[in-house]
Amino acid sequence: MYSVLLPVDRNTDRAFHQATYVTRLADSGAAVEATVLYVVPPNTFDRPEDVEFSTLKSTVTAADHLEEAGVSVERVVDNGGIPQKIIHTANDIDADEIVMGGRKRTGVTQVLLGSTVQDVVLSADRPVTVTGGTVTLGTGRREVLVPVDRDVDRALAQARYVANLPNAAEHVDATVCYVFPHQDYAGAPPHEFAEVDAAVEAAAYLDGEGVTIDRLVIGGEVVSKLLDTAEELDVDCIVMGGRKRSGVQKVLLGSTSQDTMLSATRPVTITG
C-alpha cells in the first residue's frame, strides 16, 4: 500500500484540497492508505489532550472526502511542536509522501509558504507535496512534470518518487524537462536533451520502470517556463528536486523550487 500523511490545520478548504489530491492518485481506493493528522498548537486549548478529531471540521472534511473515494483512513490527533510531530508521525507510519496544504495569501494577495510547511519541507527525509488553498488537477491519466537541474542525484530522486506512485507503469505519464536558463533569444544555440546528464538519467530510470515518458528541453526564464509547461500539459503535479545542503550541512530550499511552489496553481512535490 502507498502510505500518505495529511497533516491538516483548521482551514477546511486547504484540508479538502489535500484530500482531493490524494483521491487523484491512481487506484487510490485500493492502493492508498491515508493518515489524517491534526496537531494541537501549543497554548490554544486548556487541555490539548482532550481535543477530539470529530470536533474539528477540517479533519472530518478531509477524512470523509477520502473515505467517499474508497481510501482507507486513520484519524490521529496529537499535540506539541507541529513540524516535529508531523515528521515523527511520518517516520512512525513510514509514509511514502506527506501532503501539506501550505500556500496562504496575505491581504495584498501575496502568496506565502506557512512556516510549518517550510519546516517540514526542509526537515523531512521523504517527498513532501504542497497543495494550497486551491488546487488544479488534470484529468484522465496522471500527468506529472519532472523539471530537473544538472544534479544527477536529485534528478534520480525525482524519478524514483514518480516510479513509486501507485501503479505508475499503468497510470502515470511523466515529462522530464530541462530549461536552459534565459536561452530563448534570437540566435540562441539549439537545445539538446542528451546534453543534460541528469535529464538523461532520470528519463532512463523511469523508462526502465515502465513509466511512459516524454523528453522536453526549452530555453527561457526557468520558473515561468515551468509554470507555462505545467499549464500546457495540464499536469496533476510538478515534481521538484529542491532540497540542497550548504557547506555546513544546513538544508536549503533552492530558489527555483521555492518560487515554483509559491507561484504554481498545481500541487508541487519536493523530493530532495
Side-chain angles (χ1 to χ4, degrees), residues 68-80:
E68 288 168 4
V71 178
S72 174
V73 178
E74 180 76 15
R75 295 164 166 80
V76 178
V77 175
D78 205 343
N79 63 83

Side-chain angles (χ1 to χ4, degrees), residues 3 66 103 121 158 182 195 203 237 248 253:
S3 175
L66 289 163
R103 298 192 195 103
V121 167
Q158 291 166 262
H182 308 295
E195 295 175 32
C237 188
V248 292
L253 188 62

Side-chain angles (χ1 to χ4, degrees), residues 7 42 80-88 90-91 98 100 102 104 112-130 243 245 250-253 258 261 270:
I82 298 175
Q84 295 83 0
K85 289 294 184 179
I86 292 171
I87 297 298
H88 173 79
N91 292 338
I98 303 171
M100 306 287 294
K104 304 176 181 179
L112 303 173
L113 273 185
S115 59
T116 296
V117 174
Q118 292 188 69
D119 288 346
V120 172
V121 167
L122 293 175
S123 301
D125 61 355
R126 61 197 71 233
V128 179
T129 297
V130 179
R243 298 190 195 104
R245 292 188 178 272
K250 182 179 180 181
V251 182
L252 305 172
L253 188 62
Q258 180 163 290
M261 290 174 69
I270 303 296

Side-chain angles (χ1 to χ4, degrees), residues 150 179-186 188-191 195 218-221:
R150 295 275 185 170
V179 181
F180 285 85
H182 308 295
Q183 292 191 20
D184 56 351
Y185 54 88
H191 309 305
E195 295 175 32
I218 47 181
E221 197 283 317

Side-chain angles (χ1 to χ4, degrees), residues 159-173:
R160 284 192 292 270
Y161 163 78
V162 173
N164 190 49
L165 288 168
N167 299 313
E170 291 79 23
H171 296 289
V172 175
D173 294 332

Side-chain angles (χ1 to χ4, degrees), residues 190-212:
H191 309 305
E192 297 290 341
F193 191 91
E195 295 175 32
V196 185
D197 289 344
V200 171
E201 292 288 339
Y205 182 90
L206 289 167
D207 195 33
E209 294 294 316
V211 177
T212 301

